[in-house]
Amino acid sequence: MAITDDVLVIGGGLAGVTAALAASDAAEDARIRLVTYRQSTLRHASGLIDVLGYAPGNTDDQQQPIADPFTALESLPESHPYQRVGVDAVREALAFFDEVAGDAYAGAHTDRNALVPTHGGTVKPTARYPVSTAEGVASDDRDTLLVGFETLPDFDAPLAAAHLEAAGAPFDARGVTLSFPGIGRDDAKVTRYAHLLDHDERVETLTGETGAREALAATVNPHLDGESRVGFPAILGDDHPAAVREALSDTLGADVFEVPMGPPSLPGLRLEELLYDALESAGVRVTSGVPVVDYETVAVDSMGANSTAGESETAAIDHVVVDRNGAQIPHEADQYVLATGGLVGKGIESNRKRVTEPLFDCYVPHATDRYDWFVDDVFGEQPYARFGVVPDEDLRPLNSDDDPEFSNLRAAGAVLGGYDYAAEKSGAGVSLATGYVAGTRAGEGCQ
Amino acid sequence: MAHDTAVLVLGGGSTGCGIARDLAMRGVDVTLVERGNLTDGTTGRMHGLLHSGGRYAVSDQASATECIEENEILREIASHCVEETGGLFVQRPEDSDEYFREKLEGCRDCGIPATVLSGREARKVEPYLADDVSRAIQVPDGAVDPFRLCVANALDAERHGARVETHAEVIDLLRDGDDIYGVEIRHDSGPGKRTHKSPGTTEEITAEYVVNATGAWAGQIGAMADLDVAVRPSKGVMTIMNVRQVDTVINRCRPKGDADIIVPHETTAILGTTDEEVADPDDYPEEQWEVDMMIDTLAELVPIVEEARTIRSFWGVRPLYEPPGTGTQDPTDITRDFFLLDHDERDGVSGMSSIVGGKFTTYRAMAEEISDHVCAKLGVSATCTTAEDPLPGSENISVLEEGMDDFGLRSPIARRSNQRLGNRAADVLETDEPNPVVCECEGVTRAEVQDAIDQSGSDLNAVRIRTRASMGNCQGGFCCQNMATELHPRYDEETVREALDELFEERWKGERHALWGEQLSQAMLNYALHATTMNRDNDPANGSTQVDYAQFDGGA
């Protein structure tokens, strides 16, 4: 007997979770399941929700960031995933995210992008940002002290401060490098720093044993010189980040913010936690750590009823097969959402000869010569960055004849092709918008 | 006329650095100039094989004999650059029995220890060898780090008073009638260590004698003084795997052919190579078929390389030469022996010799012979000591092994740092400051990066070849940024930014040839980290127009 649901979402990143939540929202009584295999790529990401920071296809050496992403969406090419779902859907998806994220995220008060300091020291445009980052936005002209730590080579605060100045940020930034109280090992993981602060562990200082939060504030305090905000690398707590910031802020008498970091990214992990809590509240069933390894189809006649598979009609997915410790377990659903990610998440794979979508073998356009998959300029217009399946307006992946591969499969997030999220700064936005639309349609489409 | 230096060596590859060290140790005043970083030409673009001589045991027994002699010397004087992996010449069913027998006899004639293994015994040594490998000859091939070896030679030359100038391109040979008396060079950023964004300068350096050790570029240098040096550059591709599929050097036992060697090297294995003549050593095609051939052909010996992850490919150019009139067509057949062209004897132009041909394993012997020649010209009588005196890092190596110290580092990192640094490990790693890991793939800590910066200035590629930082699986995606921040505050923000861009571009250059499967996934992740998370592709700091911050969200 197959495990039966109404909607089955494959993939547990931002797009998959959004699809599952949207399906559950669209069809309250429906049984929604999400299956995931690998750890999601959220932990690699900064936790920022970018919508559109730069116009695609512009090969100018240096582009100006987009201040109003929603106006700019209108002029994207037809093939862009945003155009496939439409600008209104992007707005609805962001509103949906705002509701899910609640007060954990900021930026919803305006259509405008914020410029957020990066750990390399420049700024990047983004539409929503974790509330831990809110006091750090670069259009806020308050002077800033950046604090880095000797044992965290990813963030050099004095260098980042100098870089912000070179980027023309409208405030004075100064950086100091300090020793983090309570960190004895040079190779402590970022989660160790967060844990110390979350639990306010007792740490040794020159003046005796105190809580980690107080000790950190006391380390920073002598370096404050009138700045009204202090930026730290994103290590300020995992479970209780608000309490950690508040404690530091109270003692320092200045606002405290985090600078988003590379992997492993605590803001990314916090977002993942927030999303999975929302899945639980919505009653979505989550099966994790299992790969989908196979599928079976049935043909669909023009009335939409299933019949034995034939050659000419669009097929429907009857069930997929999940591998659980070697056991092949069928999962049946009415509607399916493919949200397995792009090249990084392995929803798109390649070998020396071709590029594929490995689960359903959906069509992925690409040059036959792999030396045409890239251009020589590392930040040039990279064809490989656009690899992915081609969706119709209903987000159903199309085959090479522009017909839907399956009548009941939609795709969302980085598995979609036709856009370069890294250049555009559009990754999270496309995942939200397409996840939202694919999930909503899947929910509505349940019989 | 007083000269700036007694001997001026052109070229910072193994030959040039070897000559500089040799002469400096004999008390001769030496200056070495190199266009880019040390090893930038051919030395840094080889497969890292320390020949046993087995490869030449049939075709060129003089070279084979020299290889085994030098192999044994390098194991002593450069033990921290050498890994004694051993090597196998493996025979497949279609390979000739006759050649196998000649190879074995050749090894024995040349004093190369050689043992025959059955296919089964060979697979015991290397389990991934193909099932139909029928026999193998075991020889003392090894792996050598050409960067470390070359840098150690340069360091030792400096210790003995030599001046070593990198990023100093020769733009003219100074010739007065029939005498060459020096060069004019262009410093990329002024003399001394390289600093990005510093203005370039030119300098004339005069010398009693000039040694043109620029290998594949020797013809270009010669042409500056109207001398014809008919070097025949030949390119070869090398493909780097993400892990060591083999721990022994694997050679195909057949007369000649492309794609016939796998060398285990540090955390990787390197597949090689091809042999194709090119017109210009700075500009030649790097082609897909070459990479595919490495994988497809070497999979006949070690089938898992077919499915394995490659992390990059690179090409090197051999400085092949043969005396005028030899007329060999196939570059594979051109001798690997070296030639000392004394332009006084050959062209009637005094003051300079050119060195062409030769191979990495015997660089020291070449350097000795050339240094003898130069000393004879200068009337210096001093004995060569480079075969006995260990290189920096390999001194008192037995003491090091006894007292292997962890320097407060996790033991795998300490072990690898110790391997790279040899007996310099204590000097470099003993610090009161925190010493976090900067490059996780290769286990390189801040102290080691700082030591490299001490040596080479703001050039992160120079740091890379000294430490291996950014040379692992992620190809710098995760660590380039961390390496760059180590330049601050010694160098200012703008310098750091430019140095980072340069390193990142260099890493991408080789990665392009490995863009499928896992490494394409890695490339997308690297791109996302640098463009999405850091916005390095549209950094307002690089722009000419100021961003209008007031147009953006200023907070709630």
Side-chain angles (χ1 to χ4, degrees):
Chain A
M1 246 317 262
I3 294 169
T4 306
D5 297 284
D6 295 305
V7 176
L8 184 72
V9 177
I10 306 165
L14 183 57
V17 174
T18 303
L21 292 172
S24 149
D25 201 48
E28 275 182 21
D29 302 329
R31 276 173 68 99
I32 319 288
R33 183 179 301 271
L34 181 146
V35 294
T36 74
Y37 177 33
R38 297 187 174 83
Q39 278 187 344
S40 91
T41 51
L42 284 164
R43 67 191 56 227
H44 290 318
S46 61
L48 301 176
I49 303 292
D50 304 340
V51 169
L52 189 69
Y54 295 91
N58 188 332
T59 50
D60 291 354
D61 274 355
Q62 194 65 37
Q63 279 196 63
Q64 287 288 314
I66 291 169
D68 180 351
F70 296 98
T71 311
L73 289 180
E74 311 272 3
S75 46
L76 291 174
E78 267 310 295
S79 56
H80 197 287
Y82 280 142
Q83 284 286 359
R84 293 286 155 125
V85 299
V87 176
D88 290 344
V90 180
R91 284 188 178 278
E92 285 167 35
L94 267 184
F96 186 72
F97 173 79
D98 291 335
E99 202 162 310
V100 171
D103 53 15
Y105 271 74
H109 61 279
T110 172
D111 268 4
R112 292 183 177 271
N113 273 330
L115 293 171
V116 170
T118 72
H119 69 280
T122 189
V123 296
K124 68 164 275 190
T126 192
R128 302 285 186 273
Y129 37 92
V131 68
S132 65
T133 296
E135 299 292 347
V137 294
S139 297
D140 176 340
D141 61 8
R142 287 178 294 161
D143 290 351
T144 303
L145 177 69
L146 294 176
V147 176
F149 299 102
E150 292 166 330
T151 42
L152 281 176
D154 310 49
F155 180 61
D156 182 313
L159 179 64
H163 197 151
L164 278 170
E165 187 188 335
F171 52 85
D172 285 337
R174 211 160 49 80
V176 290
T177 303
L178 305 174
S179 165
F180 197 101
I183 291 290
R185 295 191 59 95
D186 292 348
D187 59 355
K189 303 255 183 298
V190 290
T191 43
R192 175 67 193 137
Y193 293 79
H195 194 84
L196 267 175
L197 294 169
D198 271 341
H199 300 281
D200 205 12
E201 283 180 25
R202 306 295 290 174
V203 299
E204 290 290 341
T205 68
L206 290 176
T207 52
E209 213 187 65
T210 66
R213 298 171 187 177
E214 190 187 324
L216 178 57
T219 307
V220 174
N221 219 351
H223 299 277
L224 256 181
D225 185 21
E227 290 92 349
S228 56
R229 55 179 176 170
V230 182
F232 292 88
I235 53 162
L236 301 181
D238 186 6
D239 298 330
H240 310 293
V244 171
R245 285 197 311 280
E246 195 184 332
L248 291 176
S249 177
D250 284 351
T251 320
L252 291 171
D255 288 321
V256 165
F257 67 92
E258 287 185 323
V259 177
M261 304 279 286
S265 153
L266 277 170
L269 288 165
R270 290 181 207 132
L271 174 59
E272 187 171 31
E273 226 164 78
L274 180 158
L275 294 170
Y276 279 77
D277 286 349
L279 287 175
E280 198 179 334
S281 315
V284 173
R285 291 158 173 80
V286 176
T287 310
S288 50
V290 294
V292 171
V293 292
D294 203 359
Y295 68 95
E296 293 288 338
T297 58
V298 288
V300 181
D301 65 24
S302 52
M303 305 298 287
N306 294 347
S307 65
T308 315
E311 290 297 311
S312 59
E313 301 126 318
T314 300
I317 295 166
D318 180 70
H319 65 269
V320 298
V321 178
V322 157
D323 180 307
R324 183 183 282 277
N325 303 325
Q328 309 282 300
I329 300 171
H331 275 257
E332 195 178 84
D334 197 51
Q335 300 290 328
Y336 297 83
V337 177
L338 178 69
T340 42
L343 288 168
V344 179
K346 312 265 163 61
I348 300 294
E349 291 185 346
S350 60
N351 56 32
R352 277 190 279 159
K353 307 229 156 39
R354 58 189 291 255
V355 182
T356 55
E357 181 282 297
L359 284 195
F360 300 102
D361 200 20
C362 294
Y363 169 63
V364 178
H366 62 276
T368 48
D369 181 344
R370 71 166 191 269
Y371 276 63
D372 292 332
W373 297 355
F374 64 85
V375 295
D376 288 346
D377 174 6
V378 63
F379 291 131
E381 235 182 290
Q382 293 295 353
Y384 72 80
R386 295 165 176 270
F387 285 165
V389 304
V390 183
D392 66 7
E393 290 187 345
D394 204 27
L395 293 182
R396 289 181 301 179
L398 298 173
N399 62 24
S400 54
D401 295 326
D402 278 346
D403 294 322
E405 297 264 13
F406 306 96
S407 61
N408 59 347
L409 177 72
R410 291 178 184 79
V415 74
L416 296 172
Y419 72 114
D420 177 344
Y421 67 79
E424 296 167 16
K425 325 298 172 204
S426 65
V430 168
S431 289
L432 280 177
T434 56
Y436 175 76
V437 170
T440 303
R441 304 264 167 89
E444 289 166 356
C446 296
Q447 293 165 342
Chain B
M1 188 174 84
H3 291 100
D4 296 326
T5 181
V7 180
L8 179 63
V9 178
L10 314 182
S14 54
T15 311
C17 290
I19 295 167
R21 176 184 188 233
D22 193 326
L23 289 172
M25 284 169 67
R26 299 192 204 199
V28 177
D29 179 29
V30 188
T31 297
L32 181 148
V33 296
E34 157 60 41
R35 181 176 76 168
N37 270 314
L38 296 176
T39 77
D40 261 4
T42 302
T43 300
R45 314 193 130 255
M46 48 111 49
H47 43 40
L49 172 66
L50 181 67
H51 279 281
S52 62
R55 255 181 123 67
Y56 306 114
V58 179
S59 59
D60 181 354
Q61 297 206 337
S63 289
T65 308
E66 197 179 39
C67 278
I68 188 66
E69 288 167 6
E70 287 301 309
N71 175 308
E72 282 160 5
I73 290 171
L74 288 180
R75 284 164 198 248
E76 291 301 316
I77 66 160
S79 57
H80 77 295
C81 307
V82 171
E83 186 186 349
E84 301 189 16
T85 60
L88 295 175
F89 280 85
V90 302
Q91 183 189 18
R92 287 186 47 79
E94 64 270 28
D95 298 338
S96 140
D97 283 341
E98 174 63 17
Y99 185 75
F100 189 89
R101 195 184 53 72
E102 286 177 38
K103 177 74 82 183
L104 185 62
E105 280 172 9
C107 284
R108 289 178 176 158
D109 292 346
C110 299
I112 301 164
T115 318
V116 176
L117 303 182
S118 68
R120 202 156 146 209
E121 287 166 334
R123 279 184 290 278
K124 231 177 195 170
V125 177
E126 284 303 335
Y128 290 122
L129 276 182
D131 289 341
D132 54 356
V133 161
S134 47
R135 311 184 272 179
I137 303 171
Q138 197 166 30
V139 294
D141 282 344
V144 56
D145 187 316
F147 305 116
R148 218 178 290 157
L149 183 64
C150 204
V151 168
N153 272 282
L155 264 182
D156 208 27
E158 285 183 316
R159 281 190 190 174
H160 287 88
R163 174 184 177 199
V164 175
E165 281 287 340
T166 59
H167 301 283
E169 182 177 12
V170 174
I171 50 176
D172 203 9
L173 280 180
L174 304 177
R175 176 173 170 172
D176 181 13
D178 283 334
D179 182 48
I180 289 169
Y181 66 94
V183 297
E184 183 178 8
I185 56 171
R186 180 167 41 230
H187 293 289
D188 179 74
S189 65
K193 290 169 192 163
R194 182 181 183 203
T195 304
H196 290 77
K197 294 275 177 189
S198 298
T201 52
T202 57
E203 180 187 355
E204 283 191 1
I205 302 176
T206 59
E208 288 179 55
Y209 203 75
V210 177
V211 178
N212 173 18
T214 54
W217 289 263
Q220 296 179 3
I221 295 288
M224 292 176 181
D226 299 321
L227 298 169
D228 182 32
V229 181
V231 62
R232 290 174 66 179
S234 157
K235 71 168 174 170
V237 65
M238 278 136 292
T239 294
I240 308 186
M241 314 304 288
N242 72 322
V243 293
R244 287 164 67 127
Q245 282 83 12
V246 292
D247 289 318
T248 309
V249 176
I250 305 296
N251 304 270
R252 181 87 176 251
C253 190
R254 62 180 179 193
K256 62 178 182 181
D258 289 335
D260 65 352
I261 187 165
I262 307 177
V263 183
H265 191 75
E266 303 277 332
T267 53
T268 67
I270 301 182
L271 315 185
T273 181
T274 45
D275 199 342
E276 203 180 285
E277 204 160 333
V278 297
D280 180 348
D282 287 315
D283 186 17
Y284 50 86
E286 301 177 342
E287 289 167 281
Q288 172 175 358
W289 66 265
E290 299 176 275
V291 176
D292 286 334
M293 184 173 74
M294 287 308 110
I295 296 167
D296 296 337
T297 308
L298 283 163
E300 294 172 13
L301 301 185
V302 180
I304 53 162
V305 306
E306 176 78 39
E307 296 306 321
R309 169 176 175 183
T310 85
I311 58 177
R312 66 193 281 117
S313 288
F314 62 95
W315 278 254
V317 179
R318 301 174 189 83
L320 299 184
Y321 179 84
E322 57 180 17
T326 315
T328 306
Q329 295 300 313
D330 182 346
T332 327
D333 294 329
I334 297 179
T335 175
R336 264 48 177 169
D337 207 354
F338 83 93
F339 296 85
L340 195 166
L341 312 179
D342 182 332
H343 293 294
D344 192 11
E345 289 167 19
R346 211 185 67 141
D347 308 296
V349 177
S350 63
M352 182 167 95
S353 286
S354 293
I355 320 305
V356 284
K359 54 196 163 304
F360 181 81
T361 298
T362 57
Y363 87 95
R364 193 213 59 82
M366 282 167 63
E368 178 175 345
E369 208 174 315
I370 295 151
S371 298
D372 286 346
H373 176 82
V374 172
C375 284
K377 292 270 175 190
L378 298 178
V380 172
S381 60
T383 325
C384 172
T385 54
T386 58
E388 295 85 35
D389 289 358
L391 285 157
S394 286
E395 301 139 338
N396 308 318
I397 211 79
S398 53
V399 178
L400 171 75
E401 275 158 11
E402 283 162 22
M404 185 88 153
D405 194 331
D406 276 2
F407 308 106
L409 300 171
R410 270 180 284 154
S411 61
I413 290 172
R415 194 183 67 241
R416 295 180 61 190
S417 305
N418 271 312
Q419 279 168 356
R420 284 190 295 262
L421 294 163
N423 65 303
R424 295 186 61 243
D427 284 348
V428 174
L429 298 175
E430 265 169 11
T431 166
D432 294 333
E433 304 293 313
N435 189 21
V437 173
V438 170
C439 165
E440 287 282 349
C441 296
E442 295 295 321
V444 185
T445 60
R446 174 177 290 162
E448 200 177 337
V449 170
Q450 289 294 342
D451 171 63
I453 296 169
D454 285 344
Q455 291 177 29
S456 60
S458 74
D459 189 318
L460 291 174
N461 281 307
V463 173
R464 171 176 66 78
I465 65 170
R466 283 165 173 78
T467 61
R468 287 190 61 81
S470 80
M471 289 171 86
N473 280 355
C474 84
Q475 288 289 289
F478 285 60
C479 62
C480 277
Q481 162 77 15
N482 297 358
M483 288 169 69
T485 63
E486 291 300 323
L487 294 171
H488 190 77
R490 236 192 273 205
Y491 297 96
D492 67 14
E493 189 276 327
E494 198 184 4
T495 305
V496 174
R497 203 182 330 136
E498 178 151 310
L500 170 58
D501 286 343
E502 185 180 73
L503 175 64
F504 194 63
E505 295 271 349
E506 191 284 336
R507 297 284 76 196
W508 167 246
K509 198 167 179 288
E511 224 186 330
R512 295 174 310 173
H513 299 289
L515 279 192
W516 68 85
E518 281 288 337
Q519 205 61 22
L520 180 56
S521 177
Q522 179 75 53
M524 187 66 213
L525 177 57
N526 292 354
Y527 179 38
L529 286 176
H530 286 259
T532 309
T533 307
M534 289 194 257
N535 195 19
R536 293 213 307 110
D537 57 332
N538 270 305
D539 184 350
N542 295 332
S544 47
T545 28
Q546 169 72 30
V547 170
D548 185 0
Y549 282 82
Q551 292 302 309
F552 291 81
D553 173 10

